[in-house]
């Protein structure tokens, strides 16, 4: 099944680019049906043709609900199978999340449940962690708290600062996100009975990228 993906992004869009590259290379059976941003100047928007771009400034709406409703209407109009948050830095409100139940993914730069929210790399360094990584999870109305589907790890090395560590994590984010999307595209991973299942079994333990190709 060719997946219809609506991508939400606020920044540079390297995860989006990895998705676009995999589609072009024929390794991901998907279409990006729209790229949506809360920042009209986001570099991510430039990675797709103008007809696929949607952006609005939240401050142009009277409240968060209004922005989320406009975003949800625009996303729904594209009829996506999945909404893929790729560096989308705004919290999605409950009304948005409830409109697309079990249909929103996010990639977060930490080994959840550690370090929800911002500044994950600095917090891992401050805690003296020896490993760090990224998680792909379902989005629910609580911040970075939905079911974790897959994780990949990197070492924390002596001399790392937040920037260096973030760059190392980013190198595993791209294959991690692609792996989850590929599993969805080939139907091994699917939403059933309100939960994501892998090969018919609930995902109790996050898939790890290392075992991804077994
Ligand atoms: C990525 O590191 C992603 O994990 C993070 O933003 C970066 C986006 O990079 N997302 C979050 O922190 C979400 N809470 P990109 O724009 O190059 O894909």
């Amino acid at each position: 099944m060719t997946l219809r993906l609506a991508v939400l992004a606020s920044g540079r869009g390297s995860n989006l680019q990895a998705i676009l590259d995999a589609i072009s290379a024929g390794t991901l059976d998907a279409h990006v049906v729209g790229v949506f941003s809360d920042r009209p100047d986001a570099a991510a928007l430039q990675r797709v043709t103008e007809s696929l771009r949607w952006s609005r400034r939240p401050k142009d709406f009277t409240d968060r609900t209004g922005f989320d409703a406009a975003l949800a209407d625009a996303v729904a109009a594209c009829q996506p199978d999945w909404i893929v948050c790729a560096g989308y830095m705004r919290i999605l409100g409950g009304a948005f999340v409830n409109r697309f139940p079990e249909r929103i993914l996010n990639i977060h730069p930490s080994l959840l449940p550690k370090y929800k929210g911002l500044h994950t790399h600095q917090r891992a360094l401050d805690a003296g962690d020896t490993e760090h990584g990224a998680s792909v999870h379902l989005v629910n109305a609580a911040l970075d708290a939905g079911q974790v589907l897959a994780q990949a790890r990197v070492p924390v090395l002596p001399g790392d600062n937040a920037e260096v560590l973030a760059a190392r994590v980013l190198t595993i984010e791209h294959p991690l996100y692609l792996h989850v999307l590929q599993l969805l595209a080939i139907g091994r991973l699917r939403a059933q009975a309100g939960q994501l299942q892998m090969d018919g079994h609930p995902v109790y333990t996050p898939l790890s990228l290392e075992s991804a190709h077994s």
Side-chain angles (χ1 to χ4, degrees):
M1 171 181 99
T2 301
L3 289 183
R4 296 175 61 82
L5 305 178
V7 178
L8 273 53
S10 302
R12 113 198 104 180
S14 74
N15 277 285
L16 166 61
Q17 190 63 53
I19 291 168
L20 294 167
D21 290 347
I23 292 171
S24 297
T27 54
L28 175 64
D29 185 10
H31 286 313
V32 171
V33 293
V35 174
F36 302 82
S37 187
D38 58 329
R39 296 195 191 156
D41 61 347
L45 289 165
Q46 303 303 319
R47 297 181 186 270
V48 292
T49 183
E50 199 171 352
S51 63
L52 295 183
R53 298 176 200 155
W54 181 97
S55 65
R56 300 287 185 276
R57 285 180 189 80
K59 68 178 167 63
D60 292 341
F61 292 79
T62 45
D63 56 17
R64 183 173 111 165
T65 315
F67 175 83
D68 271 10
L71 174 64
D73 286 345
V75 167
C78 291
Q79 300 185 295
D81 297 307
W82 286 91
I83 298 164
V84 177
C85 298
Y88 186 67
M89 301 308 284
R90 236 179 114 72
I91 294 172
L92 292 166
F96 185 99
V97 172
N98 293 334
R99 192 156 161 190
F100 306 100
E102 278 105 36
R103 281 289 178 275
I104 312 173
L105 293 174
N106 182 42
I107 189 157
H108 182 74
S110 80
L111 295 171
L112 290 171
K114 279 185 162 183
Y115 314 131
K116 297 172 181 171
L118 298 175
H119 311 301
T120 58
H121 310 298
Q122 189 59 53
R123 287 157 71 198
L125 289 169
D126 291 346
D129 291 355
T130 55
E131 64 172 12
H132 186 44
S135 306
V136 174
H137 66 93
L138 280 178
V139 172
N140 63 18
L143 179 66
D144 299 328
Q147 182 185 0
V148 178
L149 302 174
Q151 292 183 319
R153 293 160 196 275
V154 296
V156 179
L157 300 176
D160 275 354
N161 59 30
E163 197 183 344
V164 168
L165 187 53
R168 191 176 306 123
V169 170
L170 194 65
T171 64
I172 52 103
E173 286 189 32
H174 299 163
L176 179 67
Y177 224 168
L178 287 176
H179 177 58
V180 170
L181 294 171
Q182 283 157 347
L183 290 173
L184 289 168
I186 62 176
R188 287 187 65 189
L189 192 59
R190 56 178 68 193
Q192 255 163 14
Q195 192 187 41
L196 274 209
Q197 301 199 348
M198 173 76 173
D199 297 333
H201 301 288
V203 181
Y204 290 122
T205 308
L207 310 168
S208 77
L209 191 59
E210 292 73 31
S211 61
H213 304 290
S214 60

